[in-house]
């Protein structure tokens, strides 16, 4: 065997090896792109959610792959968050309504007083009504504070309660 044959054989083997490595690298890139496509779709959906699309959800296929399990879990978390936000909006609307009623009563009595429509005993009656409505507002605000403390998990302020005195006052 001469040197030229060995050199030619070595070059052929190196070329074949280089081509094989390039083909394998190309196949690896294709496989990775296909395999990572669900993650890219998830990223697009997550971006849409971050931009305010509250109805958008991560895509879930029927393959049962790990990305599908992850997407389903994240979708459940988004759904739970949406329900919590809906409850918070409903609560805020209810609280606003409950506060608006006593404020309207107070404003009405004050406006009547300013326009000179109250004299003598009527003023006392108006002040008593205003005090009642302020008491309602104070109670609502205290209840809102209690709900906020419960929501954050802070301990409640617990004190002994005299039930006999409470029953008498009722």
């Amino acid at each position: 065997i001469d040197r030229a044959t060995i050199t030619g054989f070595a070059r052929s083997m190196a070329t074949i090896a280089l081509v094989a490595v390039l083909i394998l690298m190309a196949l690896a890139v294709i496989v990775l792109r296909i395999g990572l496509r669900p993650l890219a779709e998830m990223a697009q959906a997550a971006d849409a959610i971050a931009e305010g699309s509250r109805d958008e959800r991560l895509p879930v296929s029927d393959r049962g792959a790990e990305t599908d399990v992850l997407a389903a879990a994240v979708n459940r978390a988004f759904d739970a968050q949406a329900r919590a936000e809906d409850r918070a909006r409903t609560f805020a609307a209810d609280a606003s309504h409950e506060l608006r009623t006593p404020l309207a009563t107070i404003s009405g009595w004050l406006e009547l007083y300013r326009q000179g429509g109250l004299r003598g005993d009527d003023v006392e009656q108006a002040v008593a009504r205003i005090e009642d409505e302020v008491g309602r507002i104070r109670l609502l605000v205290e209840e809102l504070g209690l709900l906020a403390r419960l929501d954050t998990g802070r301990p409640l302020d617990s004190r002994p309660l005299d039930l006999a005195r409470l029953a008498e006052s009722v």
Side-chain angles (χ1 to χ4, degrees), residues 56-122:
E56 183 81 24
R57 291 296 177 260
L58 300 181
V60 179
S61 72
D62 296 334
R63 295 183 315 234
E66 289 84 359
T67 54
D68 296 322
V69 173
L70 174 63
V74 170
N75 286 341
R76 285 191 301 275
F78 284 147
D79 292 341
Q81 180 66 29
R83 285 190 303 274
E85 288 174 1
D86 287 344
R87 283 193 306 269
R89 275 192 286 280
T90 300
F91 174 77
D94 291 347
S96 172
H97 175 74
E98 290 296 323
L99 289 169
R100 195 175 298 124
T101 302
L103 287 174
T105 303
I106 291 168
S107 296
W109 283 108
L110 290 174
E111 186 63 30
L112 188 60
Y113 174 76
R114 283 194 186 119
Q115 293 179 2
L118 296 177
R119 307 237 186 263
D121 289 341
D122 291 339

